[in-house]
């Protein structure tokens, strides 16, 4: 149809039907036609038409099993769409999937605040295990954003991760070799959350014995001690490291072991 208003109204009506059809089975041929029509209209020169088409494409993600071709279309549209409000539509609803990860990382650095907020809101209940390493790092680096809304959004994602993983397993999902700052940002965000909520759940629940000290946990202890010292909570350092000489001895043994094997210089 050449009439912009008619194109828009038709898509709006179909979107309403799709929203009410989550429990119904849609014929595969019809579903394929809808995907093609929405993909075409998502490149329409009229912004209002592209906006409605973007909503429709996101609705189609959940009609049946995951369609990688559809996700590629949505991912590419979100990557190259010039209108921020339409990018926000994609960001708020795009399925978290290996096909879409790269575009999600890009939108976390979007120039428009609403797009970044929508993207973080979408990621709020994501599992860290299901995200690529670049995406994990991108979320954590949102903690350095100048806008407090973005920082709070990133903190909510991290607190969700922490509620489903232990500290050490959480750190194991981040490549500290390449970017140690990422690990420190993550832990500081969790410590600050703990302090703001008047809880000691994170630091008191570490339950690390010195005999269990590893390269990863020593990095954790370094971050914890540094944070507690900088925030005037020196008395709590004793509960983390009750025996300083023994702690130093174990670290020294770790260093000696690492140099003997010559397998890594990470320590």
């Amino acid at each position: 149809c050449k009439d912009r208003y008619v194109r828009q109204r038709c898509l709006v009506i179909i979107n309403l039907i799709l929203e009410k059809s989550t429990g119904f089975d849609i014929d595969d041929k019809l579903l394929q036609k809808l995907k093609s029509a929405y993909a075409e209209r998502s490149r329409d020169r009229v912004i209002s038409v592209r906006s409605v088409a973007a909503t429709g494409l996101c609705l189609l993600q959940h009609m049946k099993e995951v369609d990688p071709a559809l996700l590629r279309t949505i991912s590419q549209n979100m990557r190259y769409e010039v209108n921020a409000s339409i990018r926000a539509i994609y960001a708020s609803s795009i399925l978290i999937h290996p096909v879409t990860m790269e575009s999600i990382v890009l939108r976390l650095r979007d120039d428009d605040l609403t797009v970044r907020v929508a993207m973080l809101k979408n990621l709020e209940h994501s599992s860290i295990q299901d995200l690529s390493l670049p995406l994990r790092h991108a979320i954590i680096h949102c903690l350095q954003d100048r806008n407090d809304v973005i920082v709070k959004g990133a903190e909510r994602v991290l607190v969700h991760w922490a509620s489903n993983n232990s500290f050490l397993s959480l750190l194991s999902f981040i490549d500290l070799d390449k970017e140690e700052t990422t690990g420190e940002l993550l832990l500081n965000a969790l410590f600050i959350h703990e302090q703001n909520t008047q809880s000691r759940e994170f630091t008191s629940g570490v339950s690390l014995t010195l005999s269990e000290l590893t390269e990863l946990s020593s990095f954790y202890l370094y971050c914890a001690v540094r944070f507690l010292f900088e925030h005037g909570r020196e008395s709590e350092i004793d509960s983390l490291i009750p025996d300083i000489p023994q702690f130093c001895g174990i670290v020294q043994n770790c260093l000696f072991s690492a140099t003997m094997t010559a397998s890594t210089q990470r320590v």
Side-chain angles (χ1 to χ4, degrees):
C1 178
K2 294 182 179 181
D3 188 284
R4 179 194 69 180
Y5 179 77
V6 174
R7 293 201 303 271
Q8 182 181 348
R9 293 307 299 170
C10 286
L11 293 178
V12 168
I13 293 170
I14 297 173
N15 285 354
L16 290 172
I17 295 173
L18 291 176
E19 287 177 4
K20 304 296 183 181
S21 301
T22 53
F24 297 96
D25 187 29
I26 298 179
D27 181 73
D28 289 336
K29 290 184 178 179
L30 175 59
L31 190 58
Q32 196 57 48
K33 287 182 179 179
L34 286 174
K35 291 177 182 178
S36 299
Y38 273 112
E40 183 180 353
R41 292 280 70 87
S42 69
R43 297 186 293 271
D44 198 287
R45 60 185 177 82
V46 180
I47 292 176
S48 59
V49 175
R50 294 205 310 276
S51 178
V52 179
T55 301
L57 284 172
C58 292
L59 287 170
L60 289 174
Q61 293 177 114
H62 308 288
M63 286 295 104
K64 286 192 176 181
E65 65 276 0
V66 174
D67 182 353
L70 176 63
L71 293 183
R72 275 190 288 272
T73 299
I74 295 172
S75 182
Q76 290 298 309
N77 286 355
M78 186 175 72
R79 178 188 287 260
Y80 297 112
E81 174 58 55
V82 296
N83 184 274
S85 64
I86 299 177
R87 294 200 303 273
I89 292 173
Y90 287 121
S92 64
S93 303
I94 191 169
L95 199 64
I96 312 302
H97 187 275
V99 171
T100 63
M101 296 281 184
E102 191 174 339
S103 293
I104 290 173
V105 172
L106 182 65
R107 287 301 138 230
L108 281 174
R109 300 191 295 266
D110 198 285
D111 293 333
D112 190 272
L113 175 64
T114 58
V115 177
R116 301 204 305 276
V117 170
M119 197 73 264
L120 285 170
K121 185 69 176 176
N122 190 354
L123 291 162
E124 201 166 293
H125 300 291
S126 61
S127 170
I128 188 172
Q129 294 92 328
D130 296 333
L131 307 181
S132 65
L133 185 61
L135 181 50
R136 297 170 194 171
H137 283 201
I139 294 170
I140 295 171
H141 277 281
C142 285
L143 295 168
Q144 295 177 312
D145 198 277
R146 296 179 181 179
N147 191 289
D148 191 56
V149 175
I150 298 298
V151 174
K152 294 299 181 185
E155 285 177 351
R156 284 192 292 271
V157 178
L158 303 187
V159 170
H160 175 71
W161 290 352
S163 66
N164 292 282
N165 300 276
S166 68
F167 267 125
L168 296 185
S169 63
L170 195 60
L171 283 176
S172 71
F173 293 121
I174 302 169
D175 192 346
L176 298 177
D177 286 352
K178 294 181 179 178
E179 199 173 349
E180 192 174 90
T181 304
T182 307
E184 193 166 353
L185 282 171
L186 169 65
L187 289 174
N188 279 355
L190 297 178
F191 292 146
I192 290 170
H193 171 78
E194 170 210 46
Q195 183 164 277
N196 291 342
T197 55
Q198 302 297 310
S199 166
R200 293 291 180 266
E201 178 183 353
F202 290 123
T203 49
S204 64
V206 176
S207 66
L208 285 174
T209 63
L210 293 180
S211 61
E212 293 172 333
L213 186 64
T214 64
E215 181 183 335
L216 194 58
S217 59
S218 63
F219 173 78
Y220 162 75
L221 287 171
Y222 156 74
C223 289
V225 169
R226 178 174 171 176
F227 178 87
L228 292 172
F229 181 79
E230 290 177 351
H231 289 77
R233 291 162 56 179
E234 293 92 336
S235 61
E236 294 177 52
I237 295 176
D238 289 341
S239 65
L240 285 177
I241 310 174
D243 189 333
I244 298 294
Q246 186 182 359
F247 171 77
C248 293
I250 293 176
V251 173
Q252 188 175 21
N253 289 337
C254 288
L255 289 169
F256 178 75
S257 176
T259 53
M260 287 295 289
T261 58
S263 60
T264 178
Q265 295 299 316
R266 293 184 297 173
V267 178

